[in-house]
Structure formats: structure tokens, C-alpha cells
Amino acid sequence: MPRYGRIGAGLAALALLTGLVGATPATAAPSTSLASAVLTYPTAAGTAVSVNDVIQASLKTGTSATFYSSASGTTGVKCAASTFSAKVLSNPTAPGTATESLTAQSFTSCTSNIIGTTGVQSVTVNNLPYTTSVTSGGVVTISGTTTAPIQSTVVLNSLLGPITCVYRTSTNKLTGVAANATNSIAFTNQTLTKFSGTSLCFSTAYFTATYSPVRDTSKTGSPAVFVN
């Protein structure tokens, strides 16, 4: 799970998304200041984000979170709204790796264009919280455990009743990229594999979402968070 300079999900988000690994992330250029912490506000190399602060973000305006059947296709589930919330566990001096706990990730206002379905009942990220790391290079990694793997459950509506699709990642990780220029964390074509469900559930789902701006909601005015 900031104007979060190259910090993903995720969301994390989430998961998936929540609870919700695939493409190798591109890396944004970090701040060159060695005196700053990995996570700062309201500017790069600014004031260090405090341990226990809560970092939150919603989807970038005008974008959707998608779970498609292929990396280049448009068939699947699209959600117009998604948010994540993470608690900062450590924030060392840069260069380094900050850690967080992804405590919440939601997906709402979702639709489906999968043949045989009539809509989306819910998209839920399971087994939260997830451990999250953010490197000075802007790589965001969301990790599950053996007993609490990264998992999301999608419930689709159909003429025959609800259909439940459960997805997990093959590596128990999701990887995103944080970019200071856009104050965002982006997850692109993160691969989720069907763990259980009917034939209407894709065998593989590709998760894509961009969260921006990322902010420290524990501070007055919820300033943007940067990665150094």
C-alpha cells in the first residue's frame, strides 16, 4: 500500500486489491539530498514524515482501476473509485527503504463487460494489513505472508446469481512505482492468478491503477509526500 515521489498495491491497495505483480517498474529519479529522509513533505528533501503517520491516496483524477483479462485488452472489471491507507512504520535517512503497513484499500463504482455477467457486486482486498516498502529509487513493494497472502475477491452478478472469483499473486507481491513529478504511485499490469471461481472468472487478471496525489493525512493540511 504521497506527492509520493517514486514510492503502488495497490492498494493498495491496493490492494487487491488490493488485495493486488507483473511488469517491472520504471524508476523515477530520486532526490540527491542525503540528509533527508526517504519520505518527506511538503517537498522533496523536506520535513521527514513521522513514524505512525497515515498516508492516503485515491485514484488519479480521470482514471480507473482495472482488472482485465489481458495486459493489452479492455475486457474485465473497471472501478471508477479506489483509495488506500497506509501507516508509516519506519522512515530512515535517504538513500534507504521506508516501510509501511497497508491497512485499507477499497474499490467501488465498479462495472463489468465480461460476457455472461450483468454487473459487479463487490471487489474486496482480503488479509489486510500488508507490509509495504518504499525505496529511494521509487519502487513500492506490497508483500503478503504465507498465512495471509495477497488476495482479492471479486463478486460478479449474472442472470444465474452471484459469481465469486478469488485471485492471488504468484509471488505474494505487488510492485508499483512512485513519481514525485505527478505525486503518484502507479501499478501497471500486476498479475493476479485465479485461486478459485467458475469459468466466468479469468484465469489471469491484470491489475492497473494510479493513485494521486499521495498525502500525509496526519499533518495539518494533508501535505503531499515525496520519495528521496
Side-chain angles (χ1 to χ4, degrees):
M1 44 163 272
R3 232 172 179 185
Y4 216 6
R6 283 183 289 199
I7 214 181
L11 115 119
L14 167 127
L16 307 143
L17 234 213
T18 178
L20 323 124
V21 177
T24 301
T27 304
S31 167
T32 57
S33 173
L34 300 183
S36 67
V38 175
L39 305 178
T40 61
Y41 72 92
T43 62
T47 303
V49 173
S50 302
V51 170
N52 294 323
D53 276 10
V54 174
I55 291 173
Q56 295 180 340
S58 299
L59 289 178
K60 180 181 177 181
T61 300
T63 68
S64 300
T66 58
F67 302 89
Y68 287 154
S69 61
S70 68
S72 59
T74 57
T75 299
V77 172
K78 177 189 290 188
C79 298
S82 178
T83 62
F84 78 79
S85 181
K87 181 180 179 180
V88 177
L89 301 180
S90 67
N91 187 21
T93 300
T97 300
T99 60
E100 303 169 3
S101 176
L102 180 65
T103 56
Q105 187 170 19
S106 65
F107 296 87
T108 54
S109 300
C110 302
T111 58
S112 169
N113 62 357
I114 303 170
I115 295 175
T117 66
T118 59
V120 180
Q121 196 170 113
S122 63
V123 176
T124 305
V125 178
N126 309 125
N127 300 329
L128 291 168
Y130 298 141
T131 298
T132 302
S133 64
V134 183
T135 72
S136 290
V139 178
V140 181
T141 304
I142 300 172
S143 304
T145 65
T146 301
T147 56
I150 290 179
Q151 176 179 295
S152 19
T153 300
V154 180
V155 181
L156 304 171
N157 293 322
S158 77
L159 294 176
L160 299 178
I163 298 166
T164 300
C165 309
V166 178
Y167 291 92
R168 291 182 177 179
T169 66
S170 60
T171 61
N172 215 5
K173 295 181 184 297
L174 293 172
T175 304
V177 177
N180 285 339
T182 54
N183 238 175
S184 64
I185 302 174
F187 297 90
T188 304
N189 288 329
Q190 297 296 288
T191 306
L192 304 170
T193 303
K194 183 172 73 173
F195 179 73
S196 65
T198 72
S199 59
L200 285 179
C201 304
F202 298 142
S203 58
T204 302
Y206 294 83
F207 168 63
T208 295
T210 298
Y211 295 90
S212 175
V214 182
R215 300 185 178 277
D216 183 344
T217 59
S218 295
K219 295 294 188 292
T220 301
S222 298
V225 176
F226 291 78
V227 177
N228 303 275

